[in-house]
């Protein structure tokens, strides 16, 4: 199937690709999960994106700020405070916190990585790229490899701003978008020479899902679309269609057509004429269930905080 979406939809989609959707943060929460496997990918595309409430971050600011006055404070506390500020939309305070950390604990990778993220959120892409590239030099394999995907995403955003119709031709990882080339991975009856299969980075799923989980990539149609394409090329058709549904709901103009191609390779749908309205309703219900579990977790955390269990909840 050839794609023939109107370019008239591009400006609206471009507006959806806002700075907060690009970045990932580093704090003590992130450090708890040094590995993301396929189970975590499956959880994320089903709506189980574990995020904290505004109450959590407000309390974390109040709890962490006094700790910075201590002589024996650890540098990670600055990260915890800065990320809490960022989650509350207080980006300039997050940047100031990292600058204070740099003066007290100079040259740390986590400082540079977070500064790159915060400047991306603030819309200062040149400064964000400068900091993120510095982070990659300091530690190219840390943070689940996410900085390199943040750099790719920001560079894509810059190209998209200059050429909006680019959204019809490529996604930010540069993977081929032709279903006739990736469906062979999904369907044993379709074959193609292996040389036509793109070489996927080993950490691509970890990187993209990490940005969704620990940043605000869940708001980006482009990130979900790239995740869907990556999952398709990896052979994970059921997960790919769920990522495409998120991209569609967020306004990506190609997501629906790619989802339609993926339907043909999924056994549960291939034996009958697929009705996208019915399928998407099932996927949306599954997502809502996952989100409900996240909200329950948030209520449990907030209840502990209300009882003064700050150390138990924050882990320091």
């Amino acid at each position: 199937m050839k794609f023939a979406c109107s370019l008239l939809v591009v400006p609206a989609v471009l507006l959806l690709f806002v700075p907060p959707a690009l970045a990932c943060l580093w704090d003590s929460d992130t450090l708890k999960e040094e590995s993301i496997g396929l189970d975590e990918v499956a959880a994320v595309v089903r709506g189980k994106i574990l995020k904290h409430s505004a109450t959590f971050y407000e309390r974390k600011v109040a709890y962490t700020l006094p700790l910075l006055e201590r002589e024996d404070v650890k540098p990670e506390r600055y990260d915890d405070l800065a990320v809490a500020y960022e989650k509350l939309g207080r980006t300039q305070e997050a940047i100031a916190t990292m600058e204070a950390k740099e003066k007290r604990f100079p040259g740390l990778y986590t400082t540079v990585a977070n500064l790159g993220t915060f400047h991306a959120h603030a819309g200062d892409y040149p400064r964000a790229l400068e900091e993120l590239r510095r982070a990659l030099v300091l530690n190219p394999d840390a943070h689940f490899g996410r900085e390199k995907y943040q750099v790719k995403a920001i560079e894509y955003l810059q190209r998209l701003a200059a050429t909006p119709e680019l959204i019809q031709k490529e996604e930010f990882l540069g993977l081929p978008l032709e279903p006739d080339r990736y469906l062979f991975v999904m369907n044993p009856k379709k074959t193609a020479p292996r040389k036509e299969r793109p070489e996927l980075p080993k950490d691509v799923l970890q990187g993209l899902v990490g940005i969704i989980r620990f940043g605000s990539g869940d708001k980006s149609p482009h990130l979900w679309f790239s995740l869907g394409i990556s999952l398709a090329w990896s052979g994970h058709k059921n997960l790919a269609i769920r990522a495409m549904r998120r991209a569609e709901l967020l306004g990506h103009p190609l997501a629906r057509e790619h989802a339609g191609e993926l339907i043909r390779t999924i056994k549960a749908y291939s034996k009958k004429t697929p009705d996208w309205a019915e399928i998407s309703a099932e996927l949306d219900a599954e997502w809502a269930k996952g989100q409900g579990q996240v909200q329950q977790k948030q209520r449990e955390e907030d209840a502990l905080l209300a009882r003064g269990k700050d150390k138990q909840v924050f882990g320091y």
Side-chain angles (χ1 to χ4, degrees), residues 237-238 240-242 244-246 248-249 256 259-287:
K237 56 188 180 297
N238 286 285
I241 198 171
R242 286 163 168 79
M244 287 299 178
R245 175 57 178 164
R246 303 317 304 166
E248 179 192 16
L249 288 172
R256 170 65 186 89
E261 296 289 350
L262 288 164
I263 286 171
R264 297 191 295 145
T265 70
I266 298 176
K267 186 176 180 180
Y269 308 135
S270 61
K271 293 182 179 180
K272 60 181 180 179
T273 302
D275 180 88
W276 180 241
E278 180 181 344
I279 294 170
S280 60
E282 292 176 1
L283 299 179
D284 292 348
E286 179 184 73
W287 177 270

Side-chain angles (χ1 to χ4, degrees), residues 27 48 56 59 62 66 70 77 80 88 119 134 151 164 174 188 191 244 249 266 276 287 291 301:
D27 64 354
K48 299 177 184 177
F56 174 97
R59 186 66 167 265
R70 294 172 50 171
R77 298 295 80 83
D80 288 315
L88 293 170
H119 285 297
R134 282 181 59 206
V151 168
T191 59
M244 287 299 178
L249 288 172
I266 298 176
W276 180 241
W287 177 270
Q291 288 285 284
E301 284 185 336

Side-chain angles (χ1 to χ4, degrees), residues 34-152:
E34 282 291 338
S35 177
I36 296 178
L38 205 57
D39 288 347
E40 285 76 17
V41 176
V44 163
V45 298
R46 288 176 167 87
K48 299 177 184 177
I49 305 174
L50 300 180
K51 294 181 181 288
H52 304 294
S53 68
T55 298
F56 174 97
Y57 287 112
E58 289 164 357
R59 186 66 167 265
K60 196 168 191 177
V61 167
Y63 177 78
T64 308
L65 191 57
L67 300 181
L68 303 192
E69 303 300 322
R70 294 172 50 171
E71 290 292 330
D72 61 346
V73 66
K74 296 181 179 180
E76 303 94 89
R77 298 295 80 83
Y78 282 85
D79 298 318
D80 288 315
L81 178 62
V83 170
Y85 279 141
E86 174 59 32
K87 293 292 188 178
L88 293 170
R90 297 160 66 176
T91 303
Q92 293 307 315
E93 289 170 276
I95 291 172
T97 300
M98 285 295 92
E99 291 172 345
K101 178 192 172 192
E102 176 63 21
K103 291 179 180 178
R104 190 167 181 179
F105 303 100
L108 296 181
Y109 154 78
T110 52
T111 306
V112 180
N114 275 338
L115 275 173
T117 292
F118 299 150
H119 285 297
H121 284 188
D124 187 349
Y125 296 140
R127 180 66 185 277
L129 288 172
E130 176 186 342
E131 298 292 353
L132 291 170
R133 287 169 179 154
R134 282 181 59 206
L136 285 169
V137 170
L138 288 171
N139 197 341
D141 298 319
H143 213 170
F144 320 100
R146 285 179 225 153
E147 277 78 24
K148 63 186 174 187
Y149 296 111
Q150 288 177 257
V151 168
K152 286 179 180 292

Side-chain angles (χ1 to χ4, degrees), residues 17 149 152-153 156 159 170-174 208 222-223 226:
F17 197 36
Y149 296 111
K152 286 179 180 292
Y156 176 77
R159 297 196 305 274
E170 66 178 63
E171 51 80 52
F172 76 81
L173 297 176
L208 297 182
H222 303 273
L223 192 75
S226 290

Side-chain angles (χ1 to χ4, degrees), residues 156-172:
Y156 176 77
L157 177 57
Q158 292 177 319
R159 297 196 305 274
L160 196 60
T163 312
E165 61 269 23
L166 194 65
I167 196 173
Q168 302 284 339
K169 303 174 183 178
E170 66 178 63
E171 51 80 52
F172 76 81

